[in-house]
């Protein structure tokens, strides 16, 4: 289809993030074919979208997500937890052991419908269902395809549930990576998932390293999320979490280290030297009381730091605001880190998505994927290249997404989903499965 978006203010993202007035965006065959004045783009068009009173932006990218956590919403059966390990023991590890493939499917579909509403069109997910591992990534992939967005999937390998479960997780990663390599579906990509160094033996890390390299994919792993992760690895292996993973060849340009809240200065240097991407998840870190990552320090040392949500939300503009305030508190400086935090979402996340998919994502430029959102916004102050990041953080973040496109397909228009997903029916099915899951829990 040839789709013309006109009348809005175009915000490109990237570095620098540009503001283009008086420009229309032409979409052809799932890519952005041209950005130019409307009168300079000849028709005919299959569709025209009037963006008057709106900003036209790239679809947002989430660098670390857990679709499977959907059915925990409102669950009150977990015992109170005094620290992060107890949060895992009392809630998350109890939950993931009880998940069925139907739970996995509906959890993803509900989240992905909401992602379309929030303008998040690319998500990097990290999945765990240890007693329903085989086929779980294919079920999530089916939900991704039905939603129309893009997702990079992996399975969370851990030794905490025994050898058979470990083997199943390793094979699930390898099988899905083979599928992605074979199908070359532009909506799906694979990484090799690992839980965290403190739940993995050296033997399992070595097996994962070989399988991941054979599959040609990087790794996605929780790193130094809590101080206890670092302490365990120092006590049992004489290395920090970062150093131990690096020693097994699991860090590097193709890998994502989620959290890194307790990465030391030496760890940060190692993350930088290996060019490992760090996914910062401030809302989750605050919720679990594990601390606030030193984003400013990591960026100064050359670490590529992006932004994830760890399933707290799919609203990336909400997450970036929390990241800003949290970094002010972490650095004890209310005016620091504005550019460093802004770049996590508007520059680094697009770089990550582009790296994973192999073609430009997360930016509005000719030749890039046509993942585009239209957001209601009348700027009350001048909106230009000098002020755009302030508008994104303090204004557009509070606005409503009107229209969402991914790969040139309109998934939501006029705030109504048009991708075939029935939100009410999904919610009803989710409630039905949640009751059964909670009984098992």
């Amino acid at each position: 289809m040839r789709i013309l978006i006109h009348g809005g203010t175009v915000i490109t993202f990237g570095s620098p993030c540009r503001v283009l007035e008086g420009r229309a965006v032409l979409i052809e065959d799932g890519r952005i074919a041209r950005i130019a004045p409307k009168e300079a783009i000849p028709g005919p068009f299959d569709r025209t979208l009037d963006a008057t009173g709106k900003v036209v932006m790239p679809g947002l990218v989430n660098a670390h997500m857990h679709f499977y956590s959907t059915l925990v919403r409102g669950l009150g059966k977990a015992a109170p937890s005094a620290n992060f390990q107890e949060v895992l023991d009392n809630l998350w590890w109890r939950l993931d052991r009880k998940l069925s493939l139907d739970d996995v499917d509906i959890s993803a579909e509900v989240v992905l419908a909401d992602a379309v509403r929030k303008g998040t069109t690319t998500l990097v997910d990290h999945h765990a269902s240890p007693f329903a591992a085989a086929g779980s990534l294919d079920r999530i992939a089916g939900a991704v395809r039905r939603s129309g967005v893009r997702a990079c999937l992996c399975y969370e390998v851990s030794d905490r549930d025994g050898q058979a479960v470990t083997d199943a997780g390793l094979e699930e990663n390898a099988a899905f990576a083979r599928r992605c390599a074979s199908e070359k579906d532009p909506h799906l990509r694979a990484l090799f998932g690992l839980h965290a160094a403190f739940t993995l033996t050296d033997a399992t890390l070595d097996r994962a390293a070989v399988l991941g390299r054979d599959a040609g994919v990087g790794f996605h792993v929780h790193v130094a999320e809590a101080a206890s992760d670092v302490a365990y690895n120092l006590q049992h292996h004489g290395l920090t979490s970062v150093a131990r993973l690096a020693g097994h060849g699991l860090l590097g340009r193709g890998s994502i280290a989620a959290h890194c809240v307790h990465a030391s200065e030496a760890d940060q240097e190692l993350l930088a030297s290996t060019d490992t991407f760090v996914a910062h998840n401030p809302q989750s870190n605050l919720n679990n009381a594990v601390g606030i990552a030193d984003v400013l320090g990591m960026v100064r040392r050359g670490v590529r730091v992006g932004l994830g949500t760890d399933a707290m939300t799919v609203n990336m503009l909400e997450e970036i605001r929390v990241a800003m305030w949290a970094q002010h508190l972490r650095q004890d400086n209310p005016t620091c880190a504005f550019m460093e935090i802004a770049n996590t979402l508007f520059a680094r996340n697009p770089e990550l998505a582009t790296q994973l998919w192999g073609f430009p994502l997360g930016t509005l430029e000719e030749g890039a994927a046509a993942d585009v959102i239209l957001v209601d916004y009348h700027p009350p102050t001048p909106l230009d290249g000098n002020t755009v990041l302030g508008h994104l953080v303090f204004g557009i973040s509070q606005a409503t997404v009107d229209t969402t496109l991914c790969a040139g397909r309109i998934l939501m228009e006029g705030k109504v989903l048009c991708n075939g997903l029935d939100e009410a029916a999904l919610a009803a099915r989710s409630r039905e499965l949640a009751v059964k899951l909670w009984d098992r829990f």
Side-chain angles (χ1 to χ4, degrees), residues 1-188:
M1 291 183 68
R2 294 186 90 229
I3 300 174
L4 187 73
I5 303 172
H6 66 92
T9 299
V10 174
I11 300 176
T12 64
F13 287 15
S15 187
C17 182
R18 297 179 297 146
V19 177
L20 307 176
E21 294 285 3
R23 299 291 194 278
V25 177
L26 174 65
I27 295 171
E28 288 183 330
D29 300 323
R31 298 291 179 100
I32 297 172
R34 196 169 179 196
I35 300 176
K38 179 183 178 182
E39 57 272 16
I41 304 177
F45 310 111
D46 297 290
R47 288 291 312 276
T48 59
L49 300 177
D50 186 353
T52 301
K54 300 174 177 60
V55 291
V56 182
M57 311 191 322
L60 300 166
V61 177
N62 186 339
H64 182 70
M65 181 64 185
H66 294 290
F67 295 155
Y68 74 85
S69 69
T70 302
L71 299 186
V72 81
R73 193 179 305 174
L75 174 66
K77 292 188 174 184
S81 302
N83 54 54
F84 183 59
Q85 185 60 53
E86 291 188 5
V87 171
L88 296 175
D89 290 333
N90 295 339
L91 177 58
W92 296 114
W93 291 352
R94 287 180 65 192
L95 173 79
D96 65 28
R97 291 181 179 117
K98 299 299 183 181
L99 290 171
S100 70
L101 289 178
D102 286 343
D103 297 331
V104 169
D105 198 327
I106 198 70
S107 292
E109 209 155 19
V110 168
V111 169
L112 291 166
D114 195 33
V116 172
R117 285 212 168 276
K118 300 302 191 297
T120 301
T121 56
T122 300
L123 303 101
V124 183
D125 191 58
H126 197 278
H127 175 65
S129 54
F131 294 96
S136 59
L137 296 185
D138 284 339
R139 294 291 287 265
I140 297 171
V144 171
R145 293 296 288 139
R146 290 190 294 276
S147 72
V149 302
R150 305 181 198 271
C152 178
L153 308 180
C154 72
Y155 184 85
E156 178 188 287
V157 174
S158 171
D159 286 310
R160 66 182 181 263
D161 291 306
Q163 191 62 52
V165 172
T166 299
D167 293 344
L170 290 166
E171 174 55 27
E172 184 65 9
N173 275 307
F176 188 72
R178 291 193 295 268
R179 170 187 169 174
C180 287
S182 172
E183 294 181 0
K184 296 180 173 57
D185 187 327
H187 287 265
L188 296 170

Side-chain angles (χ1 to χ4, degrees), residues 102-421:
D102 286 343
D103 297 331
V104 169
D105 198 327
I106 198 70
S107 292
E109 209 155 19
V110 168
V111 169
L112 291 166
D114 195 33
V116 172
R117 285 212 168 276
K118 300 302 191 297
T120 301
T121 56
T122 300
L123 303 101
V124 183
D125 191 58
H126 197 278
H127 175 65
S129 54
F131 294 96
S136 59
L137 296 185
D138 284 339
R139 294 291 287 265
I140 297 171
V144 171
R145 293 296 288 139
R146 290 190 294 276
S147 72
V149 302
R150 305 181 198 271
C152 178
L153 308 180
C154 72
Y155 184 85
E156 178 188 287
V157 174
S158 171
D159 286 310
R160 66 182 181 263
D161 291 306
Q163 191 62 52
V165 172
T166 299
D167 293 344
L170 290 166
E171 174 55 27
E172 184 65 9
N173 275 307
F176 188 72
R178 291 193 295 268
R179 170 187 169 174
C180 287
S182 172
E183 294 181 0
K184 296 180 173 57
D185 187 327
H187 287 265
L188 296 170
R189 289 294 184 269
L191 286 170
F192 205 102
L194 299 163
H195 174 247
F198 76 94
T199 69
L200 292 159
T201 64
D202 286 339
T204 298
L205 292 176
D206 285 338
R207 291 177 66 194
V210 171
L211 289 168
R213 283 196 297 270
D214 288 348
V217 298
F219 301 88
H220 188 176
V221 55
H222 303 100
V223 181
E225 182 174 0
S228 55
D229 180 17
V230 180
Y232 178 93
N233 284 282
L234 285 170
Q235 179 182 350
H236 293 274
H237 301 279
L239 297 167
T240 66
S241 314
V242 172
R244 184 168 170 235
L245 292 168
H248 287 273
L250 298 168
L251 301 184
R253 180 163 179 78
S255 295
I256 298 173
H259 302 292
C260 294
V261 175
H262 295 276
S264 67
E265 291 185 7
D267 289 335
Q268 294 177 24
E269 295 286 355
L270 186 51
L271 291 165
S273 66
T274 55
D275 201 17
T276 301
F277 189 93
V278 169
H280 177 44
N281 303 274
Q283 290 199 68
S284 172
N285 298 155
L286 291 166
N287 181 58
N288 289 323
V290 295
I292 301 167
D294 182 15
V295 174
L296 193 56
M298 284 191 278
V299 171
R300 286 173 175 168
R301 292 179 177 87
V303 180
R304 293 183 299 140
V305 182
L307 192 67
T309 66
D310 205 34
M312 295 292 289
T313 181
V314 286
N315 186 341
M316 298 308 300
L317 293 173
E318 172 190 313
E319 191 75 30
I320 198 170
R321 285 165 63 87
V322 177
M324 195 77 68
W325 321 149
Q327 207 56 208
H328 291 173
L329 182 62
R330 170 70 169 77
Q331 307 295 341
D332 193 23
N333 182 342
T335 59
C336 75
F338 181 85
M339 288 302 302
E340 290 84 355
I341 292 297
N343 280 336
T344 62
L345 180 59
F346 307 127
R348 299 293 89 79
N349 277 15
E351 289 175 6
L352 173 69
T354 296
Q355 175 186 321
L356 291 172
W357 265 262
F359 51 82
L361 280 175
T363 60
L364 291 190
E365 59 186 67
E366 293 179 0
D371 300 356
V372 185
I373 61 176
L374 279 57
V375 183
D376 295 331
Y377 190 63
H378 294 280
T381 60
L383 173 57
D384 55 34
N386 295 318
T387 65
V388 60
L389 296 178
H391 280 274
L392 283 163
V393 173
F394 294 99
I396 296 170
S397 63
Q398 307 302 293
T400 303
V401 177
D402 178 85
T403 299
T404 300
L405 299 89
C406 185
R409 176 187 170 194
I410 301 172
L411 306 181
M412 180 175 73
E413 185 176 3
K415 305 175 183 65
V416 177
L417 294 189
C418 47
N419 58 354
L421 295 186

